[in-house]
């Protein structure tokens, strides 16, 4: 299927939902998100300093919740600490924030056990891909896994959950853009994957997506919300630094913000 045909299909699926929201006079979130996207793009050219404080981001989330007629506090801010120096992470912990996201099991294992000894109440989310042979280790590190995306992984999670008598919160990752280089279940296979997880006695919290960088993210957020609604799921992990207001307007329960909080990422040398 060509990109043009895929985008046409996506647009036809989610346009009625966006039109309905505009009819309800909730368009102000759109203009706010565009303003902040311009700021975020400018920041990308000058990555040496963070452009938003944690308090600023929290205030913007609260404002977006109110604009979307959402209850204040209904959206969880996941501070994405992947490839960040420990001192930057500690600074955010010192401000009182406790919900963080990591992309790799090995990196999380190298810093979060120590942080948990110092800071009570850490809520750690795996937002990157998970290999089935690292599931047991992930169980010992993470409170939530946002990247359930295939049968082998779901089966491994179900087996270890039975053995350990507990399981992190689980999100099925949907590849809404149908991008071959990205992980995630294709939208047409989402219902079957969710049903398969439930058949394995896995309690699915919600869905996660990462929209294509070159496409309007709201279309993908609306598609994810539609898949979640028809499957009776309330959790929606979607929205990042440049678009979390629009994600909140379309139902996000978890937004993932990284460099805007911590500054530019520092790759391991």
């Amino acid at each position: 299927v060509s990109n043009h045909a895929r985008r046409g299909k996506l647009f036809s699926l989610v346009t009625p939902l966006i039109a309905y929201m505009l009819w309800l006079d909730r368009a102000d979130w759109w203009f706010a998100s565009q303003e902040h996207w311009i700021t975020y793009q400018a920041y990308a050219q000058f990555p040496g300093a963070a452009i938003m404080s944690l308090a600023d981001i929290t205030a913007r989330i609260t404002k977006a919740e109110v604009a979307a007629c959402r209850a204040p506090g209904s959206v969880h801010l996941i501070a994405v600490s992947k490839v960040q120096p420990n001192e930057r992470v500690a600074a955010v912990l010192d401000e009182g924030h406790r919900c963080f996201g990591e992309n790799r099991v090995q990196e999380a294992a190298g810093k979060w056990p120590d942080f948990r000894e110092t800071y009570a109440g850490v809520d750690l989310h795996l937002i990157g891909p998970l290999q089935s042979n690292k599931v047991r280790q992930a169980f010992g590190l993470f409170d939530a896994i946002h990247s359930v995306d295939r049968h082998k992984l779901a089966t491994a999670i179900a087996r270890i959950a039975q053995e350990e008598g507990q399981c992190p919160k689980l999100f099925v990752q949907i590849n809404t853009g149908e991008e071959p280089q990205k992980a995630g279940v294709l939208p047409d296979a989402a219902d079957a994957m969710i049903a398969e997880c439930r058949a394995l006695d896995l309690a699915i919290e919600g869905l996660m997506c990462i929209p294509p960088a070159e496409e309007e993210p709201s279309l993908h957020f609306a598609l994810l919300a539609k898949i979640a609604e028809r499957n009776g799921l309330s959790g929606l992990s979607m929205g990042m630094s440049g678009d979390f207001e629009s994600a909140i307007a379309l139902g996000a329960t978890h937004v993932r913000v990284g460099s805007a909080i911590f500054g530019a990422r520092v790759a391991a040398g």
Side-chain angles (χ1 to χ4, degrees):
V1 180
S2 69
N3 282 341
H4 179 76
R6 179 182 60 76
R7 290 171 186 169
K9 178 182 176 183
L10 175 62
F11 189 79
S12 68
L13 284 171
V14 302
T15 296
L17 177 57
I18 294 176
Y20 176 64
M21 292 184 65
L22 293 174
W23 180 70
L24 289 176
D25 196 26
R26 296 184 188 172
D28 54 334
W29 65 265
W30 167 260
F31 298 104
S33 67
Q34 296 310 298
E35 175 186 350
H36 291 303
W37 174 241
I38 292 170
T39 305
Y40 184 67
Q41 286 182 311
Y43 161 73
Q45 299 176 38
F46 305 96
I51 59 166
M52 291 178 279
S53 69
L54 183 63
D56 288 338
I57 293 172
T58 302
R60 282 174 54 185
I61 289 173
T62 300
K63 183 177 179 181
E65 289 170 333
V66 172
C69 298
R70 305 272 303 277
S74 61
V75 177
H76 301 276
L77 169 60
I78 301 174
V80 181
S81 50
K82 65 178 183 179
V83 201
Q84 291 290 351
N86 284 357
E87 59 269 22
R88 292 185 186 177
V89 180
V92 176
L93 283 160
D94 287 339
E95 289 188 65
H97 194 71
R98 290 295 183 267
C99 185
F100 292 82
E102 291 284 347
N103 260 40
R104 296 173 62 245
V105 172
Q106 203 62 33
E107 183 182 351
K111 63 187 177 189
W112 283 102
D114 289 342
F115 279 138
R116 285 186 188 273
E117 288 185 5
T118 306
Y119 301 94
V122 168
D123 182 29
L124 191 60
H125 295 239
L126 178 63
I127 58 175
L130 176 61
Q131 296 174 311
S132 56
N133 64 356
K134 293 192 181 253
V135 168
R136 193 178 301 277
Q137 187 180 12
F139 267 50
L141 289 166
F142 296 99
D143 301 285
I145 296 170
H146 291 234
S147 49
V148 180
D149 64 352
R150 61 196 184 280
H151 170 79
K152 183 178 180 182
L153 177 58
T155 301
I157 290 172
R159 175 175 54 81
I160 293 171
Q162 289 291 328
E163 292 174 4
E164 300 200 0
Q166 60 90 23
C167 185
K169 294 179 180 178
L170 301 175
F171 292 74
V172 173
Q173 182 174 350
I174 309 298
N175 186 349
T176 55
E178 301 182 28
E179 298 175 275
Q181 77 277 16
K182 276 187 184 174
V185 181
L186 295 179
D188 289 346
D191 294 356
M193 181 64 185
I194 295 164
E196 179 182 339
C197 289
R198 287 170 169 164
L200 291 167
D201 286 332
L202 294 176
I204 300 301
E205 180 85 4
L207 306 178
M208 185 269 266
C209 77
I210 305 172
E214 71 280 3
E215 295 186 14
E216 169 52 50
S218 296
L219 295 174
H220 296 269
F221 299 155
L223 175 59
L224 196 73
K226 187 171 184 177
I227 296 170
E229 182 180 17
R230 71 173 180 245
N231 284 281
L233 297 172
S234 59
L236 289 171
S237 173
M238 59 189 194
M240 296 185 285
S241 295
D243 53 29
F244 63 81
E245 279 104 343
S246 59
I248 291 169
L250 288 162
T253 57
H254 297 72
V255 295
R256 310 179 302 269
V257 180
S259 297
I261 294 175
F262 295 103
R265 295 188 182 108
V266 179

